[in-house]
Amino acid sequence: MKQQRMSMPVYSEFGGSYVARGFELAFQKGVRRYVWIPLLINVVLFSVAIYYTFHYATMWVADLKAWLPSYLQWLEVLLWPLVVIGVVLVFALTFTSVANIIASPFNSLLAEKVEYKLTGIAPVDGGISGMVRDIPRIIGRELQKIIYFLPRIIGFGLLLLFVPIIGQLLWFLFGGWMMTIQYADYPFDNHKVPFRTMRAELWQRSGKSLSFGCIVAVLASIPVVNLVMIPVAVCGATAMWVDHIRFATNDTMK
């Protein structure tokens, strides 16, 4: 579908402000009904993640304590935080990936409705029926993201462990980049923009992309707030797409 170049005010030049825009949009009439399913998926999986995190952390500390000789039992004090951090990272990555795969068709529909609200341009093959037809492509796109993320998570994870300060900074920035790719991809994919093109467009706007993603990453680490961050991030990223990216992407693909 060819989009008209409508004269629309830009919400902000600062990418991070689109997180606030996401909170605003997510609960507006015409959008909020599409927020509930991603929100419920997040709540259920997050509850399961909390249960298994504490279950396995307790079990693994007990196993390690039994394995240690008696004169090293004092190491239990050090083992607890290390094991908990390790378990939290494993389950956070696992359950976030699962939540995003399960919720991805609904996130795509949410991005579509937000874009329609902001532009007034109705999609040609949109709605629930369009979402159902596109499920194989949408899930395939999620798998593309996972394949892109995994080797980089390992690389930046090693920097986090072995390069003090710089490693932590790079890990934080990479976490923000992952958040932006994860949630900004929904409006891109709705318009059939290839994954490589999407990454290039976001990288050309690295300041906006990283400021948006880093704030999402910080808020996603806060209990309770993190439960609403998936739909909020989708709404905010879609608004950023509408204001700063959609026409440039259309020109690139011509």
Side-chain angles (χ1 to χ4, degrees), residues 20 33 57 71 76 82 94 101 111 134 139 146 151 173-174 187 197 205 225:
R33 76 178 80 170
Y71 61 88
E76 181 184 0
L82 291 175
T94 301
I101 290 173
D134 286 342
I139 292 179
I146 292 172
L173 292 174
F174 177 65
T197 303
R205 301 159 180 83
V225 176

Side-chain angles (χ1 to χ4, degrees), residues 35-98:
V35 167
W36 288 111
I37 292 179
L39 181 60
L40 289 173
I41 290 171
N42 200 26
V43 169
V44 170
L45 289 178
F46 183 74
S47 301
V48 172
I50 290 176
Y51 170 78
Y52 279 103
T53 294
F54 284 100
H55 173 73
Y56 281 102
T58 303
M59 185 177 67
W60 289 349
V61 168
D63 289 344
L64 285 170
K65 184 179 177 182
W67 175 76
L68 289 172
S70 57
Y71 61 88
L72 291 178
Q73 291 295 312
W74 59 272
L75 285 176
E76 181 184 0
V77 177
L78 299 177
L79 289 175
W80 254 112
L82 291 175
V83 171
V84 169
I85 290 171
V87 172
V88 166
L89 286 174
V90 169
F91 279 105
L93 291 172
T94 301
F95 280 93
T96 298
S97 298
V98 171

